[in-house]
Amino acid sequence: MRSAQTQTATQEKVKPQVKVSPHGTQSKALEKASKDYEAVIGIETHVQLNTLTKAFCSCPYNYGSPPNTSVCPICMGLPGALPVLNLKVIESAVKVGLALNCKLSLNSKFDRKQYFYPDLPKGYQISQFDVPIATSGYIDLDLPLEFGGGHGSLALQGFTWRGCWEAASFRRWKLLQESTFLFVLTINIVLLLISYKRVNYILVDLNRAGVPLLEIVSEPDMRNGIEAAEYAAELQRLVRYLGVSNGNMQEGSLRCDVNVSVRPIGQLQFGTKVEIKNLNSFSSVSRAIDYEISRQVLLHSEGQDKEIVQETRLWEEGAQKTVTMRKKEGLADYRYFPEPDLPGVFLTTDYVDGIRNSLPELPETKRRRYEKMGLSMQDVLFLANDMNVAEFFDTTITKGADVKLATNWIMGDIAAYMKNEKLTINEIKLTPQELAELIASIKDGTISGKIGKEILFELLAKGGSVKGLIEAKDLVQIVDPVEIEKWVEKVLSENPKQLEQYRGGKTKLQGYFAGQVMKLSKGKANPGLLNKILLEKLNAKS
């Protein structure tokens, strides 16, 4: 659990958001009752590893592959087919364990967890039970400024790995529905019962059977949807920085199952836990939690807390509410026992230290480094959110660019261009070297900021070099005071009415005159020198 000091600070800054909207007196009752209860939230996050092959066989897995094109007797659970552990899974698990500040188990083992899903042909998962690979970790995160900001630390029970895919709900099973002769598939797709009656039937896609997952389990350490969503987002950043998973929620590479309970403030005992599945975005995580908190608080306030039962509920995005899926299984239902077909996993300290020394700079460390560079929290959160953006920024700085100017360009015009063109920073034509060169050219007065923007968009779309574009288009900034003075005098002589108005007190017209001079110079007049000469002429006694 977090320290009381950290927990209190977070609660003061971030108030739980009640999303449910009962009408009339019920809404007022809920608002009043919510002040008397607190939520207890824990998250099970399933991270699919991006290994070349599955956990226990040599089958590859590629998202979107045609059904049942990446299967073998081991995936299909055929009799006599024995699993062989993928060593890359161990390496990835150790990386994540170290990055999450966990205590690693040098000796761990696998267990069988009995489970039924249509795409789990063996009827059990190969998982870990009483001796997981890692325990007792924590993760540091920063809440966004719009939700109060500030640093926080959330504790982890630890995590295990699995060589299976656990469906989140019926909607996410890879099932293919057809209408033709009935084929009923049972006993691991061995027995085919054929009926000549034309009815619907279902085929099962086993491509994901055996795909390696890490199940990361938090302590019940969160108190509202915002904290939970930020925790999940930080895990996504972490696995992407480590390179162990793409973390794409839409592909099922990262899934969050949320456990929510409510209790009166001051009570130490937890309330009845409800699990929520079918959460396919971080905003869904936040909204589903806040709805479920409201639902449970309302039942408590109406004396119907017995209606809160341990169950699995689904989040319905369209209706913006949770609905019952099934009653939750208990520990006894899983019937854990040691996996007889796999040996234990034994790690050496040299192996662990080798992986520790290979870890990249992680999001939390990067954010603190950016803060020390003098960047605001808004800048820090933006730059460190995407490791490719952070790498682009870091490389630009190493090429000599000013830190704040580089930040402004990346967060401003470059980010807007990527959004409009639906591109990632790795897909734009601009390089960090050229961005640094562009910033330097503006800073030393070679070109103006306006011309710099024109060059920037050409570099983003077509590439090239800053020096090459400046020379080819004759864009070098003019700093000759005599030439600029001629342009100023020409503009003033052509606009006597505006000049009279300026000298009569409408000083905002200075911008108008400056714009006319810049237009006359085709944007090449040095802005600082231009404004100095312009003010002298405007304020001169006629």
Side-chain angles (χ1 to χ4, degrees), residues 8 46 66 92 286 302 332 480:
T8 303
H46 299 171
S92 297
S286 180
E302 295 176 345
D480 182 356

PDB file of all heavy atoms in Angstrom, residues 8 46 66 92 286 302 332 480:
ATOM      1  N   THR A   8      -2.922  10.480   1.073  1.00  0.00           N
ATOM      2  CA  THR A   8      -3.700  11.655   1.434  1.00  0.00           C
ATOM      3  C   THR A   8      -3.475  12.780   0.445  1.00  0.00           C
ATOM      4  O   THR A   8      -4.421  13.443   0.017  1.00  0.00           O
ATOM      5  CB  THR A   8      -3.322  12.127   2.853  1.00  0.00           C
ATOM      6  OG1 THR A   8      -3.532  11.045   3.762  1.00  0.00           O
ATOM      7  CG2 THR A   8      -4.160  13.308   3.277  1.00  0.00           C
ATOM      8  N   HIS A  46      -3.293  -7.527 -18.123  1.00  0.00           N
ATOM      9  CA  HIS A  46      -2.721  -8.610 -18.917  1.00  0.00           C
ATOM     10  C   HIS A  46      -1.934  -8.012 -20.077  1.00  0.00           C
ATOM     11  O   HIS A  46      -2.490  -7.307 -20.912  1.00  0.00           O
ATOM     12  CB  HIS A  46      -3.825  -9.531 -19.445  1.00  0.00           C
ATOM     13  CG  HIS A  46      -4.612 -10.184 -18.356  1.00  0.00           C
ATOM     14  ND1 HIS A  46      -5.762 -10.907 -18.585  1.00  0.00           N
ATOM     15  CD2 HIS A  46      -4.415 -10.235 -17.020  1.00  0.00           C
ATOM     16  CE1 HIS A  46      -6.239 -11.363 -17.447  1.00  0.00           C
ATOM     17  NE2 HIS A  46      -5.433 -10.961 -16.484  1.00  0.00           N
ATOM     18  N   PRO A  66      -5.038 -15.094 -40.726  1.00  0.00           N
ATOM     19  CA  PRO A  66      -6.228 -15.911 -41.008  1.00  0.00           C
ATOM     20  C   PRO A  66      -6.435 -16.950 -39.920  1.00  0.00           C
ATOM     21  O   PRO A  66      -5.464 -17.442 -39.326  1.00  0.00           O
ATOM     22  CB  PRO A  66      -5.896 -16.567 -42.359  1.00  0.00           C
ATOM     23  CG  PRO A  66      -4.913 -15.637 -42.997  1.00  0.00           C
ATOM     24  CD  PRO A  66      -4.094 -15.074 -41.861  1.00  0.00           C
ATOM     25  N   SER A  92      11.719 -11.416 -20.921  1.00  0.00           N
ATOM     26  CA  SER A  92      10.759 -10.312 -20.882  1.00  0.00           C
ATOM     27  C   SER A  92      10.167 -10.146 -19.487  1.00  0.00           C
ATOM     28  O   SER A  92       9.980  -9.028 -19.002  1.00  0.00           O
ATOM     29  CB  SER A  92       9.634 -10.561 -21.899  1.00  0.00           C
ATOM     30  OG  SER A  92      10.137 -10.597 -23.213  1.00  0.00           O
ATOM     31  N   SER A 286     -11.590   4.614 -16.595  1.00  0.00           N
ATOM     32  CA  SER A 286     -11.975   5.674 -15.666  1.00  0.00           C
ATOM     33  C   SER A 286     -13.491   5.762 -15.529  1.00  0.00           C
ATOM     34  O   SER A 286     -14.029   5.817 -14.409  1.00  0.00           O
ATOM     35  CB  SER A 286     -11.409   7.013 -16.158  1.00  0.00           C
ATOM     36  OG  SER A 286     -11.768   8.061 -15.295  1.00  0.00           O
ATOM     37  N   GLU A 302     -29.078   3.153   0.211  1.00  0.00           N
ATOM     38  CA  GLU A 302     -30.475   2.737   0.259  1.00  0.00           C
ATOM     39  C   GLU A 302     -30.678   1.474   1.091  1.00  0.00           C
ATOM     40  O   GLU A 302     -31.762   0.887   1.085  1.00  0.00           O
ATOM     41  CB  GLU A 302     -30.997   2.514  -1.159  1.00  0.00           C
ATOM     42  CG  GLU A 302     -31.032   3.800  -1.989  1.00  0.00           C
ATOM     43  CD  GLU A 302     -31.461   3.548  -3.428  1.00  0.00           C
ATOM     44  OE1 GLU A 302     -31.444   2.362  -3.861  1.00  0.00           O
ATOM     45  OE2 GLU A 302     -31.803   4.513  -4.128  1.00  0.00           O
ATOM     46  N   ALA A 332     -11.260 -22.055  -5.188  1.00  0.00           N
ATOM     47  CA  ALA A 332     -11.443 -23.501  -5.271  1.00  0.00           C
ATOM     48  C   ALA A 332     -11.872 -23.938  -6.669  1.00  0.00           C
ATOM     49  O   ALA A 332     -11.572 -25.058  -7.109  1.00  0.00           O
ATOM     50  CB  ALA A 332     -12.480 -23.959  -4.240  1.00  0.00           C
ATOM     51  N   ASP A 480      20.305  44.516 -43.022  1.00  0.00           N
ATOM     52  CA  ASP A 480      20.874  45.818 -43.415  1.00  0.00           C
ATOM     53  C   ASP A 480      19.906  46.927 -42.988  1.00  0.00           C
ATOM     54  O   ASP A 480      18.796  47.045 -43.530  1.00  0.00           O
ATOM     55  CB  ASP A 480      21.064  45.846 -44.927  1.00  0.00           C
ATOM     56  CG  ASP A 480      21.699  47.149 -45.399  1.00  0.00           C
ATOM     57  OD1 ASP A 480      21.918  48.046 -44.560  1.00  0.00           O
ATOM     58  OD2 ASP A 480      21.945  47.264 -46.605  1.00  0.00           O
TER      59      ASP A 480
END
